[in-house]
Amino acid sequence: MEDGNHHPTSDVSGCGKSLGFVTQRTNEQQFAEWFGRSKAVKPGGTPAVLYRGEHGARLDDEHLQTRLNSLSFTDDREAANTYAMSPNNSHLDHVAKAPSVTPVHLKIENPIIENLNDPFVDLSYLVSKLGSREAKRIALKFDAAI
């Protein structure tokens, strides 16, 4: 047990070590204070458990890893398991090494985008939220994907 506040979760995917933590029932108030007004909730408003599927060896001090400067999560454990077991960059990775699925609660109180049904965003929307300079920087950085 780590400092009496958390305990490691069990392996949720059956495919590797899980490094997530679940708050113990005795600390529900502390969790509620930390979670605050997070938007990462189920339809009824209770905190959602989200999953990150990944593969590749981690450094000792890493809890999560990425090659893309971003971390993605899903509320679908099976989808996370698919990402863990099936490299989506097959020209670099032919097989998944050290696959894992990590369950987490995310504290997201002021998201830029809240449209859960649309994975795309118009640049005009980014301009309204971030300003034209930042929206242009993002557009130029990811121009090949736009």
Side-chain angles (χ1 to χ4, degrees):
M1 183 166 295
E2 259 188 48
D3 75 359
N5 291 326
H6 300 90
H7 63 278
T9 61
S10 60
D11 177 9
V12 297
S13 66
C15 66
K17 183 177 177 183
S18 175
L19 297 176
F21 291 92
V22 175
T23 304
Q24 293 178 347
R25 287 199 155 290
T26 57
N27 293 317
E28 285 180 18
Q29 184 177 1
Q30 284 179 318
F31 175 79
E33 289 172 8
W34 169 82
F35 195 70
R37 295 180 179 191
S38 178
K39 303 290 185 179
V41 294
K42 295 178 187 177
T46 58
V49 175
L50 301 172
Y51 303 92
R52 172 153 175 83
E54 59 189 9
H55 60 87
R58 292 187 181 122
L59 299 175
D60 287 338
D61 61 339
E62 286 183 323
H63 294 288
L64 300 170
Q65 62 156 336
T66 183
R67 295 179 186 168
L68 304 173
N69 295 326
S70 65
L71 294 171
S72 56
F73 296 87
T74 179
D75 61 354
D76 184 340
R77 185 180 68 184
E78 291 305 314
N81 189 56
T82 298
Y83 277 100
M85 295 302 296
S86 303
N88 58 359
N89 195 348
S90 60
H91 66 277
L92 292 177
D93 301 308
H94 299 288
V95 296
K97 297 176 184 158
S100 65
V101 173
T102 304
V104 298
H105 287 106
L106 294 181
K107 180 178 182 175
I108 305 171
E109 292 184 326
N110 190 20
I112 294 170
I113 302 167
E114 286 190 65
N115 187 347
L116 301 177
N117 298 316
D118 186 357
F120 302 100
V121 61
D122 290 328
L123 289 175
S124 61
Y125 183 81
L126 291 181
V127 169
S128 72
K129 290 292 197 172
L130 303 173
S132 58
R133 184 179 196 177
E134 183 63 8
K136 182 177 180 178
R137 184 194 68 79
I138 291 169
L140 291 173
K141 181 176 181 178
F142 298 103
D143 68 340
I146 296 176

